Every structure is written in C-alpha cells, then in structure tokens.
C-alpha cells in the first residue's frame, strides 16, 4: 500500500477513535457497526471519483432569440386577439411577397411596418387598456401614439434619464440621430425579445412589460447611444450618458464596451459594472451584481471577452483579459481570473471547473421549461391551435428573415 494511504488511515483513526470509543462505551453503537464502517471506508477508497455532467434545464438557457422569436402568450391565449394577430401577420406576409416579387435582390428593410414584434406590442397595449382602463393615458402616450418601436422605447428611456441639463425631448432627438436605423433597431428588438422570453417571472413575460419597466433593457438602450457617441468621438456626452444611467439604473457600463444583440441584463440595486475593453457577444445573460473588470495589473485591452449564450449569474466577477467560452455558466458569487472553456460550468473563489454542459441541451431547450406551450389554453382547443401554429410559422418566417439579413449591416 502506498505511503500516503497509510498516513490517511492513521490520521482518520486518531481523529475518530475518541468519538467511537465514547459512543461504544455509552452503548450508542455496536462492534458490528464499527467493523462495517471500516469496511465501507476501504471500499470507498477503491471507487473512482464521479464525473458530473450538467443538464441545463434552467430558464436562462435556450436557443438564440433570432432563431426562435417572441410570440406573445397574452395574445395567443385570447381567441379574439389571436385572430387579430393572425390577420395582421397575413397582411404582412402578402405585402412581403409583393415586395419580393418587385425586388429580385430580396433585400429586407427593417421598419415599423414589417416588424412583427411591434405589431404584437401594440396589440398587447390595446388588450391591457381593455382590461385596465386607467392605464390608457400611459400606454397611449408611450406606445400607441408612437410611429415605431424605436420611437416608443427611446421616448420611454428619455423621460427616465432626463435632467435639467438635457430634457427628454433633446435626449430622444439624440437617440434618433445617433442610433443606426437598421442595425441598432435590430439589436434593440432582440434585446426586448430576450428580456421578455428569458425573464424567470411569468408576470414579466411580455414585450410590452419589457419596454415599459425593464431597467436592464433601458440601460442597454442607453449604452447603445453612449457607444455610438463614443465612436463619433463625442466622449464628453458619452460619459454624461454613462454617469446618468449609472445613477438611475445602478448599471455602470463604459461607453467603449461592445455588446452583441439578444442580451438579457437583469439590473438591480446590486449594480452591474462592465469595463472599457469588455466584449459581450449575442444572447448572453447577465444577472444583477456582475462585474466584468480588470485585475489592476494590466493596461490597454484588460477586460473579459464573453462569448455567445454564456450565463453570468448573480454577483459573479470576471477579471482580466480572459475569455468566457460559448455557452459557459459562471455561478453566483464566483470570481473568475482564468479562461473558461465553452459549455462548462465554473464555481467558487477562485472559480474552478464543476461540470460539462451538453450542447444539445442548450440548442434544443427553452427559456422556460416549466411553462411549456402545450399547457397553454390556445394549444388545447383545435381551432386556436391551428391558428397558433400558423402564427408561429409566420413569426419565424418574417422575424428570422429580417433579423438575420446581412444586406444592411455595417
């Protein structure tokens, strides 16, 4: 037997002997139990260490929102609203076919008229007014009176971060001036979908709720403005937007940080801090209290690079110019100072490997495993189910075509 095994047995014997003798003397345990305990210890020494493999059944993981677009459950579970949504999408489908017949290059132009998400948000607002008439003034002012989704979300955010120095009207004009009319609108649309689809609260699972009340989404919209200002060398105004958003939403994101689309940012009082050279890819989930910072020992490119569909759980910190691989999970309160491989889970201080993640669990999973569409009212009845399947097909056809079209990218 190797020397370290003898040492282990001796140490365990010294530690356990007083306890076993005391219990034996008091009649708590029998000699047979002592022999069984010793035998079990020997067997355990020969067993290999277990290998754990995570199966991502959590609400955070799921397919990219660009491949599985938002479908409003509020509308789908009301037969009259479902029919109205289907009629609107059928009209959109007819217009799109006519445009494609005229334009042989088949170039998609992203605007309010052919945006399925904006159609659903307006119908959600009308339904909310019918249920709660007192919400009418707010919803009409912020949503129904606006010509587009970009106009609605920028109006809401502008009034939230307005100050005496820059009033809401000036801020909204700045948004409309600086944001790219197609690229940024697409990114914001995907952010709205992610906020609605990835929220763990069923009450928050509408796009209307996201654009009205989701502070993480509002902080992302403001950052996209600050980033455009930074790119145009208007650094003073970019820092002003960053400072104002930091005070309002407890979200401190440097204007130079780069973000993909479909980001779910769960801002809260714990605060989120993201440094200057950080890069966050598409479909990343960032929960409250997360820090993407530097180690204090580097200059230049010194912040993390987070790949697509990674999940950064509550109050975790990722420090230094390191990469968090695609689909990786960093558990709550962990501190990461070394690269994280794709589709792995790390945990602890400092963070260490915990388990692998099956790729199929993410690509085929859903954002809410406990809220399956087959349990919804519209799926149970044959008539509404047939309409629902048609709506789902039209939404996927038009949303994927618009959101993934490369013709209008910079």
């Amino acid at each position: 037997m190797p020397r370290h095994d003898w040492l282990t047995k001796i140490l365990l014997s010294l530690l356990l002997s007083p306890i076993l003798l005391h219990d034996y003397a008091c009649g708590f345990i029998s000699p047979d139990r002592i022999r069984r305990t010793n035998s079990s210890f020997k067997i355990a020494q020969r067993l290999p260490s277990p290998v754990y493999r995570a199966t991502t059944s959590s609400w955070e993981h799921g397919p990219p929102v660009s491949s599985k677009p938002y479908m409003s459950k509020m509308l789908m579970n009301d037969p009259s609203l479902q029919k109205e949504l289907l009629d609107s999408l059928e009209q959109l489908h007819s217009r799109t076919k006519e445009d494609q017949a005229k334009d042989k290059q088949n170039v998609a132009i992203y605007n309010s008229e052919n945006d399925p998400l904006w159609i659903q948000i307006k119908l959600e607002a009308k339904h909310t007014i019918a249920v709660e008439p007192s919400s009418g003034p707010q919803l009409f002012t912020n949503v129904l009176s606006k010509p587009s989704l970009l106009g609605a979300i920028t109006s809401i955010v502008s009034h939230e971060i307005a100050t005496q120095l820059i009033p809401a009207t000036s801020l909204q004009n700045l948004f409309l001036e600086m944001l790219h009319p197609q690229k940024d609108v697409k990114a914001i649309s995907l952010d709205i979908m992610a906020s609605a689809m990835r929220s763990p609260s069923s009450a928050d699972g509408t796009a209307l709720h996201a654009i009205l009340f989701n502070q993480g989404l509002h902080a992302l919209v403001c950052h996209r403005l600050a980033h455009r200002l930074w790119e145009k060398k208007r650094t003073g105004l970019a820092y002003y937007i960053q400072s104002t958003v930091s005070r309002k939403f407890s979200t401190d994101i440097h204007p130079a940080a780069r973000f993909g689309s479909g980001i779910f940012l769960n801002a809260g009082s714990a605060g989120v801090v993201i440094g200057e050279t950080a890069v966050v890819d598409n479909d990343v989930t960032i929960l409250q209290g997360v820090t993407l910072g530097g180690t204090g020992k580097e200059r230049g490119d010194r912040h993390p690079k987070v790949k697509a569909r990674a999940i950064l759980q509550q109050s975790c910190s990722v420090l230094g110019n390191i990469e968090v691989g695609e689909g990786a999970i960093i558990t709550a309160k962990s501190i990461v100072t070394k690269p994280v491989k794709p589709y792995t889970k790390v945990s602890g201080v400092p963070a260490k490997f915990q388990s692998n993640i099956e790729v199929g669990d993410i690509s085929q999973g859903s954002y809410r495993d406990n809220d399956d569409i087959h349990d919804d009212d519209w799926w149970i009845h044959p008539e509404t189910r047939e309409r629902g399947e048609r709506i789902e097909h039209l939404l996927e056809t038009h949303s994927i075509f618009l959101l993934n079209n490369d013709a209008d990218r910079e």
Side-chain angles (χ1 to χ4, degrees):
M1 181 179 291
R3 184 170 178 268
H4 62 84
D5 287 346
W6 282 104
L7 290 174
T8 302
K9 288 192 66 175
I10 292 171
L11 289 173
L12 284 173
S13 299
L14 291 173
L15 289 172
L16 295 177
S17 293
I19 300 173
L20 293 174
L21 288 173
H22 175 269
D23 291 348
Y24 175 69
C26 296
F28 296 147
I29 60 174
S30 64
D32 289 339
R33 183 175 176 184
I34 295 176
R35 285 194 294 271
R36 288 198 303 270
T37 303
N38 189 34
S39 177
S40 299
F41 174 71
K42 292 179 180 179
I43 294 172
Q45 282 187 314
R46 297 195 295 268
L47 291 176
S49 299
V51 177
Y52 298 99
R53 187 172 295 276
T55 55
T56 59
S57 59
S58 61
W59 55 265
E60 300 108 323
H61 260 151
V65 289
S66 59
S67 66
K68 189 174 179 64
Y70 173 75
M71 183 170 65
S72 173
K73 293 189 177 184
M74 176 191 290
L75 305 180
M76 295 296 290
N77 289 325
D78 187 303
S80 60
L81 291 171
Q82 187 194 48
K83 188 176 185 304
E84 188 174 356
L85 174 60
L86 179 58
D87 292 340
S88 300
L89 293 175
E90 292 286 9
Q91 294 175 10
L92 171 61
H93 184 62
S94 299
R95 289 198 307 268
T96 304
K97 289 180 68 176
E98 292 175 2
D99 293 341
Q100 289 178 357
K102 295 176 183 177
D103 185 4
K104 301 300 180 181
Q105 294 181 348
N106 197 24
V107 176
I109 302 299
Y110 198 93
N111 56 50
S112 58
E113 294 182 359
N114 64 356
D115 184 358
L117 178 61
W118 180 232
I119 292 172
Q120 293 182 84
I121 290 174
K122 289 190 292 184
L123 288 175
E124 288 176 347
K126 292 177 182 178
H127 175 66
T128 303
I129 292 174
V131 174
E132 183 56 67
S134 61
S135 65
Q138 180 195 20
L139 291 177
F140 181 81
T141 302
N142 291 326
V143 179
L144 296 176
S145 65
K146 302 303 178 185
S148 65
L149 177 59
L150 183 63
I153 188 69
T154 55
S155 173
I156 294 167
V157 172
S158 297
H159 282 86
E160 285 197 331
I161 66 170
T163 62
Q164 291 183 348
L165 182 62
I166 305 182
T169 304
S170 300
L171 278 171
Q172 186 171 14
N173 291 334
L174 185 63
F175 271 109
L176 299 177
E177 173 194 349
M178 298 303 302
L179 292 180
H180 193 279
Q182 294 171 24
K183 183 176 181 179
D184 284 328
V185 171
K186 287 183 180 181
I188 290 171
S189 295
L190 289 169
D191 292 343
I192 294 171
M193 292 183 195
S195 299
M197 296 165 67
R198 233 176 290 172
S199 172
S201 172
S202 59
D204 298 345
T206 65
L208 176 65
H209 187 281
I211 68 169
L212 289 174
F213 306 119
N214 192 297
Q215 294 189 355
L217 173 64
H218 295 176
L220 280 173
V221 174
C222 293
H223 170 72
R224 296 191 187 280
L225 169 61
H227 186 67
R228 290 297 181 190
L229 291 168
W230 185 270
E231 290 181 330
K232 297 295 184 181
K233 308 300 182 184
R234 300 172 68 176
T235 56
L237 190 52
Y239 277 130
Y240 174 82
I241 298 295
Q242 176 198 3
S243 176
T244 304
V245 171
S246 178
R247 291 196 303 272
K248 180 67 179 179
F249 303 126
S250 298
T251 303
D252 191 2
I253 307 175
H254 194 282
R258 290 179 288 164
F259 278 76
S261 56
I263 308 297
F264 176 52
L265 177 61
N266 188 8
S269 59
V272 172
V273 179
I274 299 177
E276 177 184 6
T277 58
V279 178
V280 179
D281 281 356
N282 299 334
D283 297 292
V284 171
T285 296
I286 302 175
L287 304 184
Q288 64 266 23
V290 167
T291 297
L292 301 181
T295 61
K297 302 175 183 179
E298 302 171 293
R299 292 185 179 274
D301 192 359
R302 61 195 182 279
H303 295 109
K305 312 297 180 281
V306 184
K307 296 301 181 181
R309 292 192 286 176
I311 297 175
L312 311 180
Q313 294 183 352
Q314 294 90 337
S315 300
C316 73
S317 298
V318 186
L319 307 178
N321 184 15
I322 58 176
E323 181 176 294
V324 177
E326 181 178 354
I329 298 177
I330 299 175
T331 61
K333 298 186 181 298
S334 299
I335 298 180
V336 181
T337 57
K338 295 181 180 179
V340 180
K341 294 181 179 180
Y343 302 106
T344 59
K345 177 185 285 188
V346 299
S347 179
V349 181
K352 296 180 180 179
F353 171 82
Q354 293 295 314
S355 59
N356 291 312
I357 301 168
E358 293 286 357
V359 178
D361 292 334
I362 299 176
S363 60
Q364 299 173 11
S366 64
Y367 288 113
R368 291 186 187 157
D369 297 321
N370 297 324
D371 199 10
D372 196 304
I373 62 169
H374 297 173
D375 297 332
D376 291 341
D377 294 338
W378 68 269
W379 186 267
I380 298 172
H381 304 288
E383 182 181 357
T384 55
R385 178 175 178 175
E386 183 179 354
R387 285 203 300 258
E389 290 175 338
R390 176 61 177 166
I391 288 171
E392 190 172 15
H393 171 71
L394 291 172
L395 285 174
E396 289 183 358
T397 300
H398 290 282
S399 296
I400 293 172
F401 177 67
L402 288 170
L403 296 171
N404 295 333
N405 189 278
D406 293 327
D408 57 353
R409 291 183 180 177
E410 292 180 338

